[in-house]
Amino acid sequence: MSKIEDVKVNVETGKTKLIAGVVQEALDAGDSPQDILQAMIAAMGVVGDKFSAGTIFVPEMLIAAKAMSKGVDVLKPHMTGEGSSSLGTCVIGTVQGDLHDIGKNLVGMMVESAGFTIVDLGVDVPADKFINAIKENDNVTLVACSGLLSTTMPALKQTVVDIKASGLTGFKVIVGGAPVTQEMADEIGADGYAADAGGAAIKAKALVTAA
Ligand code: B12
């Protein structure tokens, strides 16, 4: 089995104690951090499909997520750049009612490497917590809202609406997450959307430098 395949299997089967070593072995074997990350994302796709099919349940999803997070920890130093922080502060969080944070964490990691300072509000974040963070932190130039559940799309919309209605200025709002589309982002009044973490970093930089 190739090291990359090994990484995928260890995430899929939630091998939280082994995954860090396996990711390190893949790096040592010359696999790129991007390829290793893609393998882990693909593994979570398989996990989601198995959940949909009813062959695994929430605890298995959770343990796979933990394995992925531990794998990402090993990759992080290999993926982030200088982090000059010259583009201001990005307030990031997963919207109210939603506990998914792997995608949000990857977006935070890539946006940080694009030159932002990250203020991570975590998961299940109500709109007023985003608004308070914009007020309380210096030079907030970007707000990034993540949502993974169809049922939390109304919360995503409400968050963007409330942030925009707060009267605060000087920042752009970017949204994303598996059910989110460009069309939806436009509809709810977000300034930007990206399908993945790499795209989020590019979009974030473009939005803020064009402002
Ligand atoms: C792991 C997981 C969990 C874990 C989460 C742990 C954690 N720490 O995150 C746990 C077990 C807690 C969980 C719980 C639930 N889950 Co879940 N979960 C998943 C799973 C398997 C993987 C998610 C993931 O991490 N993907 C990998 C990351 C890298 O991808 P991503 O999140 O999409 O992020 C990328 C992009 O979307 C984008 N992005 C993300 N955020 C942002 C933000 C911005 C600003 C931008 C620009 C881009 C961006 O960039 C990211 C990186 O490339 C998915 C299946 C799947 N295929 O996604 C189901 C899935 C999302 N879950 C689902 C469900 C139904 C649930 C539960 C309701 C199950 C239940 N009955 O309790 C609960 C809900 C709990 C809650 N209130 O949130 C469904 C959602 C269906 C739907 N359309 O609404 C899915 C799709 C599974 C399925 N096929 O049915 N889950």
Side-chain angles (χ1 to χ4, degrees):
M1 197 189 295
S2 74
K3 289 293 168 201
I4 286 265
E5 192 58 27
D6 218 7
V7 168
K8 191 164 176 253
V9 170
N10 274 274
V11 169
E12 240 177 86
T13 52
K15 297 287 187 298
T16 53
K17 293 208 172 103
L18 298 179
I19 187 69
V22 175
V23 169
Q24 190 57 55
E25 280 173 21
L27 286 169
D28 293 345
D31 290 312
S32 76
Q34 286 74 17
D35 287 348
I36 299 170
L37 181 62
Q38 282 313 316
M40 291 200 276
I41 291 175
M44 295 313 283
V46 174
V47 169
D49 292 345
K50 286 185 180 167
F51 176 76
S52 295
T55 56
I56 64 163
F57 302 95
V58 170
E60 287 94 337
M61 274 207 291
L62 193 55
I63 201 87
K66 277 196 182 141
M68 172 144 184
S69 297
K70 283 180 186 275
V72 170
D73 285 348
V74 178
L75 284 186
K76 194 174 177 186
H78 300 271
M79 298 200 64
T80 47
E82 291 298 296
S84 60
S85 305
S86 56
L87 294 177
T89 297
C90 168
V91 170
I92 188 168
T94 302
V95 298
Q96 189 160 32
D98 204 321
L99 302 176
H100 296 85
D101 68 357
I102 296 177
K104 184 250 315 155
N105 293 344
L106 289 176
V107 169
M109 194 170 104
M110 296 308 286
V111 167
E112 183 176 20
S113 71
F116 290 81
T117 299
I118 301 293
V119 173
D120 189 346
L121 303 179
V123 296
D124 192 16
V125 181
D128 59 353
K129 199 167 166 192
F130 278 101
I131 293 168
N132 286 338
I134 299 165
K135 286 183 191 155
E136 285 162 9
N137 288 282
D138 287 338
N139 193 23
V140 174
T141 53
L142 187 74
V143 180
C145 307
S146 178
L148 255 285
L149 296 170
S150 312
T151 49
T152 51
M153 289 302 101
L156 181 68
K157 178 179 180 179
Q158 199 56 51
T159 302
V160 176
V161 167
D162 287 358
I163 292 171
K164 292 280 177 179
S166 68
L168 298 165
T169 54
F171 56 86
K172 300 286 182 184
V173 180
I174 184 169
V175 292
V180 184
T181 59
Q182 180 66 59
E183 199 184 15
M184 184 191 293
D186 293 341
E187 216 174 276
I188 67 178
D191 301 301
Y193 158 79
D196 56 34
I202 294 167
K203 190 75 185 181
K205 201 170 181 176
L207 281 172
V208 168
T209 49

